[in-house]
Amino acid sequence: MATVLICRRFPRLSRVTTFSTTAKCKAESGSNKSKQKKEENPETANIGTESAATIQLLNPLDYRVSYNPSAYAKSRAASQQHAARNSGQALGDTFTSPGTAEVQHTFSTASPQALPPVRNALPKPKSILLLEQTVSEQLSAAQTKEEAEKDKKEMHDSKEDPRVFQKGRPEYRSLSYDKFEPIETLPLEEGDLILHSVAIHKDSQSPATIADYFRKLSCLPVEKHAALVSEIRFNILCRCAVKNIRLFSTSELIDILKACVRLAVPSTHPLLNACEKEFCRRVWDMNLDQLLLVADYWRCLERSVPSYLSILFSYANMHWKDLTLPQFVQLVYIIGEGRRSPADLMPKMESMILKYLDSFTLEEMGTICLGLFKSLSGISDHVMRKIAYRVSLQMEDMSTYALVNVLKMLRYTRMDHLPVMKELGKVIPARIPTINIQGIMHITLTCSSLHYFDEGIMAAVAMSLPSKVTYCRSKDAAKFLWSFGCLDYEPPNEEEFYSSLIEQMHRKLHEFRKFPEHLLTGLLGLAFVKRFPEELIDYALRHEFVQKTRSSKYELKKDLFTLGKSVEIECPSYQGNRLPPQFYEEVTEMILNFAEQEIYVRPEIAEATSLLESMLGGPEYVKNHMILPHTRSSDLEVHLAMDGRPIPFNLKDPVADKKLKDIGVSLTDDLMTQLIKGTSNNQSPIELENETRTLGQEREVQTPRAGDHAVLSGGALIADARLQVEAKSGLCLEAPPCLPGNQQPQGVKLAIQVSNRNHYCYCSKRLLGLHCLKRRQLRQLGYVVVELPFWEWFPLLKHTRLEKLSYLHYKVFNPALLSRAG
């Protein structure tokens, strides 16, 4: 293999933005080694100018460099179990899905096109893109000790943090494994003597002796555990244990399992298979402490034991009234870690929560919430409010980890508990710099999920994130972008904040193959705040990626639809991949069918539609539909001429057409005569014509009710004026979007929004990101947005018809609207 030594000098990286005098210039150069090192540990990369030497391997055809951080995590785990556990989650953050080395599209991480078309970054030379494309093929698998230590400090210890509650009461010692239990270290010589004895007397050892050997060998120095587990004589001991598995007492069998935990025996070891079967057989002869202890050992061994847990839950269901507080908390912990929710046990768990609510420590409270969240267990609003109320009173004394667990459950239950959120705004901003990235993500996501905007929290997150961004998984980066976009918040450091997250999305591109929902989540969050990274969008809209979304456990068609249509409207210069027309047709039909059943018929929308039709003169002047189906909310469309008169445009009523199709017509002799001869047996052509004219006049010249006329007497609308407009404009008017540009009637198109609370942040008048995007796009298409805000319109629904008509007249015929025409 040929080797090339490349020496380069690296300038400071910043951002290049067209038409911006405040953005910093970001250099396009840099070596593969520097970028790779920054990806693995940004804190060790020098920010200023530095000299560096990199070795670039020129790979022959079909040669690929495999990058699999998890392989190195396993090798460290074999030699240092506890250190590996501490850093395991950090390594997990660089998760590599199958086929990572075969990335087809590698994007620039230095200056992604993160802004809308008018602010897009300058295009890169092909040589730079080619250079950056080699980064993913030359990632080094080695990670220095210093990097591992920083990862370990940054990330949650996923094996320890959930168990902090167990330090709060001595009773947990009999219910769980204590890795800090003091033990007397066994000398190596004595361990060797035990193994020698096993090899000589392998078929004559008693069960008590075998169990004692396991206890003693587990006390060897930690650094010798990996070698012991791979030792042939230890495997002989394991085979002896399997052979005598039914002869052990329950306490001896538990001791053997505990020894396996200390020695970090692989979860698929044959000895553990035998132990699991035997424990399942003995469950009903064990007490609850023993059952919970064994379940905790399985958790420490990271072994899935669904059969054992099912029996444990059945046992607990029968004896739930006898559960002590520590037993109950440990049970909920096991339920959460097993990701299983025993349906018949859940109502009884609520009773236990209420029973012990005032006695739980704050850490135990966090454990209860985490267990319920992980097992996707439903909980009543009453119980959740009780938990939230207690947390709101003691939040300052609560650890951040426990608090985040409570927030997860609040998010899951959609609990709008204002005291908790207000207290969170006081307590959490100062803690943000010390919280790991996943904790920050869950705090931010809780705020956006509950539509709760607190600028102090969001600003603290934004200031802290850029320095930690490379610790983000694809999921974390996507949900940060979604949360900020959902709340329509652009922080003071918006350029640094968004560019750092978009760069991380590029770095994690390989993960989106397995988790396509994360890429769409992040891109939609960016679209809400008018940022369109075109390279990532091009990747998301390519056929191969769209096919991957079909295998996701989430329904992603609507997200793709929203993204694709938003790009069409807001990025006219975009030249990348697009979704096919048949995809748009399929999703549009699905959304419109839902809208007809669930949205158009909502009382506040139906009432506004009916009153507008009465006020303007008929259904041809109002259309209740989705102007932009990809935004998933309805509009009441009205067209006005420049002089303020309404223009009829909704001349074809699809609802009426649908009713005709559904009703059908009976074939009578009279109808057959009309079909054949063109006239009725009972009517002359003149009579039929007169009747048709009369019916048409009744429809076109409806006289407003007395109240309606009082509202409209100001000169805005009368029937004669409407007929004049009709005569001048013609009887076959269509909606302006359907007409050629030179035939568009001069006037203004109103897109009336009947908003509700779900369009705004909680307890505020701050519009959410999706609805900001919708209104922005409506304006871009030439519509004037008129809102009937819920805080005005909903109370009016209880008032008189005249008051509602007066309000609508004020909204529709506001002279300021005509000034926005064109």
Side-chain angles (χ1 to χ4, degrees):
M1 181 183 294
T3 302
V4 179
L5 187 65
I6 302 175
C7 295
R8 289 199 173 163
R9 183 171 298 277
F10 298 87
R12 178 184 297 272
L13 295 180
S14 57
R15 187 180 181 82
V16 176
T17 307
T18 312
F19 307 122
S20 174
T21 58
T22 58
K24 298 179 182 178
C25 293
K26 175 168 285 188
E28 300 290 348
S29 63
S31 74
N32 295 328
K33 177 69 176 178
S34 175
K35 290 180 182 178
Q36 166 207 331
K37 193 169 184 178
K38 184 177 178 183
E39 287 181 19
E40 292 177 353
N41 190 350
E43 297 180 14
T44 62
N46 290 335
I47 299 175
T49 303
E50 64 178 11
S51 296
T54 64
I55 297 178
Q56 178 177 349
L57 302 180
L58 303 181
N59 300 329
L61 290 176
D62 297 327
Y63 181 82
R64 289 185 174 86
V65 179
S66 177
Y67 175 55
N68 186 4
S70 61
Y72 300 93
K74 290 177 182 176
S75 67
R76 281 202 301 275
S79 60
Q80 290 185 324
Q81 170 198 1
H82 300 305
R85 286 184 174 182
N86 287 338
S87 60
Q89 187 169 348
L91 290 170
D93 284 359
T94 57
F95 170 84
T96 304
S97 60
T100 298
E102 301 176 346
V103 176
Q104 298 177 11
H105 288 258
T106 305
F107 302 127
S108 157
T109 60
S111 59
Q113 292 171 299
L115 304 180
V118 296
R119 298 187 290 170
N120 277 344
L122 292 173
K124 292 185 176 182
K126 290 185 178 178
S127 60
I128 298 298
L129 291 173
L130 182 62
L131 178 65
E132 292 173 342
Q133 195 169 17
T134 63
V135 173
S136 63
E137 299 174 0
Q138 298 179 0
L139 291 173
S140 169
Q143 187 178 35
T144 64
K145 182 178 180 181
E146 180 183 359
E147 291 170 339
E149 285 297 317
K150 289 186 177 180
D151 280 349
K152 183 165 62 176
K153 290 176 183 177
E154 167 62 21
M155 308 311 299
H156 268 323
D157 180 345
S158 60
K159 304 299 182 298
E160 189 59 33
D161 274 349
R163 308 168 68 85
V164 171
F165 73 96
Q166 295 169 349
K167 299 177 182 178
R169 299 179 192 270
E171 293 90 339
Y172 287 114
R173 294 173 189 166
S174 63
L175 304 174
S176 61
Y177 173 70
D178 182 7
K179 66 183 290 186
F180 300 107
E181 177 187 0
I183 57 174
E184 184 177 349
T185 303
L186 183 75
L188 296 180
E189 297 79 6
E190 191 170 336
D192 193 61
L193 288 175
I194 291 174
L195 293 174
H196 181 70
S197 175
V198 168
I200 295 177
H201 307 289
K202 57 184 176 181
D203 294 326
S204 58
Q205 302 285 1
S206 68
T209 302
I210 294 173
D212 187 55
Y213 283 170
F214 272 100
R215 281 191 290 265
K216 289 181 178 179
L217 289 173
S218 69
C219 295
L220 283 169
V222 173
E223 60 271 17
K224 300 298 180 182
H225 288 179
L228 174 66
V229 171
S230 60
E231 167 73 56
I232 295 178
R233 292 174 294 178
F234 179 77
N235 286 325
I236 294 174
L237 179 63
C238 292
R239 286 198 292 271
C240 292
V242 171
K243 183 179 179 180
N244 295 275
I245 197 75
R246 293 203 173 189
L247 301 179
F248 292 113
S249 67
T250 299
S251 60
E252 288 171 342
L253 197 59
I254 291 174
D255 285 345
I256 291 174
L257 191 61
K258 180 179 181 179
C260 291
V261 174
R262 281 183 179 168
L263 295 172
V265 173
S267 62
T268 56
H269 198 284
L271 173 59
L272 297 183
N273 296 338
C275 286
E276 181 185 353
K277 292 179 182 178
E278 185 61 18
F279 277 120
C280 287
R281 190 181 70 84
R282 296 190 189 195
V283 161
W284 298 103
D285 299 324
M286 298 165 61
N287 61 48
L288 190 55
D289 280 9
Q290 291 175 324
L291 293 173
L292 292 171
L293 179 61
V294 170
D296 198 63
Y297 288 162
W298 290 129
R299 166 60 188 153
C300 293
L301 287 164
E302 298 184 355
R303 181 181 172 95
S304 176
V305 286
S307 298
Y308 179 83
L309 291 181
S310 293
I311 303 173
L312 167 62
F313 298 154
S314 297
Y315 186 102
N317 192 40
M318 294 178 62
H319 301 88
W320 68 278
K321 290 185 179 179
D322 301 326
L323 290 173
T324 64
L325 187 152
Q327 287 175 337
F328 173 70
V329 176
Q330 182 68 16
L331 175 64
V332 176
Y333 166 74
I334 294 298
I335 289 173
E337 296 306 307
R339 304 303 198 274
R340 294 193 54 197
S341 175
D344 52 345
L345 189 58
M346 294 314 300
K348 299 167 184 177
M349 288 177 61
E350 286 200 7
S351 299
M352 296 299 291
I353 291 173
L354 293 175
K355 177 181 176 180
Y356 292 124
L357 184 63
D358 294 332
S359 302
F360 289 134
T361 65
L362 294 174
E363 292 299 327
E364 287 171 334
M365 191 77 73
T367 299
I368 294 292
C369 288
L370 182 61
L372 295 173
F373 176 79
K374 284 185 173 182
S375 61
L376 301 179
S377 301
I379 187 173
S380 68
D381 285 357
H382 172 68
V383 174
M384 194 64 232
R385 287 193 182 278
K386 290 275 189 181
I387 293 174
Y389 178 71
R390 186 180 166 199
V391 169
S392 69
L393 298 178
Q394 297 179 279
M395 191 178 293
E396 286 189 5
D397 301 324
M398 202 169 193
S399 74
T400 301
Y401 183 78
L403 177 57
V404 167
N405 292 336
V406 173
L407 295 179
K408 289 178 182 179
M409 200 58 195
L410 281 175
R411 187 176 83 230
Y412 179 71
T413 57
R414 306 293 297 177
M415 178 64 64
D416 54 342
H417 199 278
L418 196 56
V420 165
M421 302 310 292
K422 284 185 175 180
E423 192 66 19
L424 188 71
K426 298 176 184 177
V427 172
I428 214 65
R431 296 190 190 182
I432 290 292
T434 63
I435 303 175
N436 69 73
I437 205 72
Q438 278 74 43
I440 298 174
M441 182 272 289
H442 281 296
I443 292 168
T444 311
L445 186 60
T446 298
C447 290
S448 66
S449 297
L450 299 180
H451 297 172
Y452 183 82
F453 177 72
D454 184 295
E455 187 168 8
I457 295 176
M458 303 303 288
V461 170
M463 296 305 295
S464 177
L465 191 63
S467 63
K468 300 183 177 186
V469 73
T470 49
Y471 295 113
C472 286
R473 302 163 296 179
S474 60
K475 173 182 178 179
D476 302 323
K479 292 193 174 180
F480 277 123
L481 290 171
W482 169 266
S483 298
F484 276 72
C486 177
L487 297 175
D488 191 40
Y489 178 64
E490 296 199 51
N493 63 331
E494 59 177 295
E495 295 304 330
E496 180 189 23
F497 173 79
Y498 280 111
S499 63
S500 66
L501 279 171
I502 293 172
E503 287 172 14
Q504 185 66 2
M505 295 278 281
H506 280 277
R507 282 191 286 266
K508 295 295 182 181
L509 192 65
H510 58 277
E511 293 185 16
F512 297 131
R513 293 177 170 186
K514 187 172 182 180
F515 306 105
E517 62 273 10
H518 297 334
L519 178 57
L520 294 180
T521 296
L523 290 177
L524 285 177
L526 286 166
F528 293 163
V529 292
K530 204 177 181 182
R531 292 175 182 267
F532 296 90
E534 295 188 1
E535 291 174 342
L536 290 176
I537 291 170
D538 180 65
Y539 182 84
L541 298 184
R542 59 194 291 232
H543 176 73
E544 295 83 356
F545 184 84
V546 173
Q547 290 301 113
K548 286 186 180 297
T549 64
R550 299 181 185 274
S551 60
S552 171
K553 62 181 180 179
Y554 302 101
E555 174 52 67
L556 301 177
K557 286 183 179 178
K558 289 189 241 181
D559 291 344
L560 278 168
F561 183 45
T562 301
L563 178 64
K565 283 296 184 181
S566 295
V567 171
E568 282 188 9
I569 294 171
E570 301 203 53
C571 301
S573 62
Y574 172 75
Q575 297 180 348
N577 287 301
R578 294 184 185 273
L579 296 171
Q582 56 268 28
F583 179 90
Y584 286 137
E585 293 171 5
E586 175 189 348
V587 183
T588 299
E589 182 180 1
M590 176 177 67
I591 291 175
L592 294 182
N593 288 338
F594 173 81
E596 287 182 4
Q597 299 173 17
E598 301 291 338
I599 299 178
Y600 301 157
V601 295
R602 289 175 182 169
E604 66 275 14
I605 296 176
E607 179 73 357
T609 304
S610 175
L611 290 169
L612 285 170
E613 288 177 355
S614 177
M615 184 176 80
L616 299 176
E620 63 270 28
Y621 293 92
V622 184
K623 189 171 185 179
N624 179 7
H625 69 132
M626 289 184 176
I627 298 174
L628 302 175
H630 64 277
T631 61
R632 312 173 203 177
S633 57
S634 68
D635 311 86
L636 300 180
E637 186 172 357
V638 172
H639 293 186
L640 298 178
M642 290 303 296
D643 59 1
R645 292 173 297 178
I647 300 174
F649 69 99
N650 186 27
L651 300 180
K652 185 177 181 181
D653 187 353
V655 176
D657 292 345
K658 188 173 182 180
K659 287 181 180 177
L660 285 175
K661 292 177 184 177
D662 293 340
I663 292 172
V665 179
S666 299
L667 288 176
T668 63
D669 292 340
D670 185 58
L671 179 58
M672 289 298 296
T673 303
Q674 293 182 54
L675 292 174
I676 296 171
K677 298 182 179 180
T679 180
S680 169
N681 288 338
N682 303 326
Q683 289 179 298
S684 67
I686 296 176
E687 289 174 343
L688 185 62
E689 182 180 346
N690 290 338
E691 181 179 317
T692 303
R693 184 183 297 113
T694 302
L695 290 173
Q697 289 173 351
E698 287 178 359
R699 185 171 182 227
E700 292 295 331
V701 193
Q702 294 176 351
T703 302
R705 303 185 190 183
D708 300 357
H709 182 74
V711 172
L712 306 175
S713 61
L717 174 66
I718 58 175
D720 291 340
R722 184 174 69 253
L723 291 175
Q724 289 173 14
V725 173
E726 201 171 283
K728 291 178 183 177
S729 305
L731 294 175
C732 298
L733 282 174
E734 297 292 337
C738 302
L739 292 174
N742 57 356
Q743 297 180 22
Q744 292 276 0
Q746 293 299 315
V748 59
K749 300 177 293 183
L750 304 184
I752 301 174
Q753 311 294 299
V754 184
S755 65
N756 60 57
R757 288 173 177 81
N758 291 331
H759 296 178
Y760 290 85
C761 292
Y762 183 69
C763 290
S764 81
K765 296 180 182 179
R766 183 186 185 90
L767 203 61
L768 293 174
L770 175 61
H771 300 282
C772 288
L773 171 141
K774 175 185 177 179
R775 298 185 186 193
R776 184 174 72 235
Q777 292 180 2
L778 284 170
R779 294 186 185 100
Q780 194 159 341
L781 293 177
Y783 286 89
V784 173
V785 176
V786 177
E787 182 179 11
L788 309 184
F790 71 88
W791 58 87
E792 294 176 358
W793 180 240
F794 278 49
L796 269 175
L797 294 177
K798 300 178 182 179
H799 288 217
T800 65
R801 178 182 178 85
L802 181 59
E803 289 175 298
K804 288 181 280 192
L805 285 167
S806 178
Y807 174 79
L808 291 174
H809 182 272
Y810 165 76
K811 285 288 186 178
V812 172
F813 296 107
N814 186 342
L817 297 179
L818 298 177
S819 64
R820 307 180 200 174

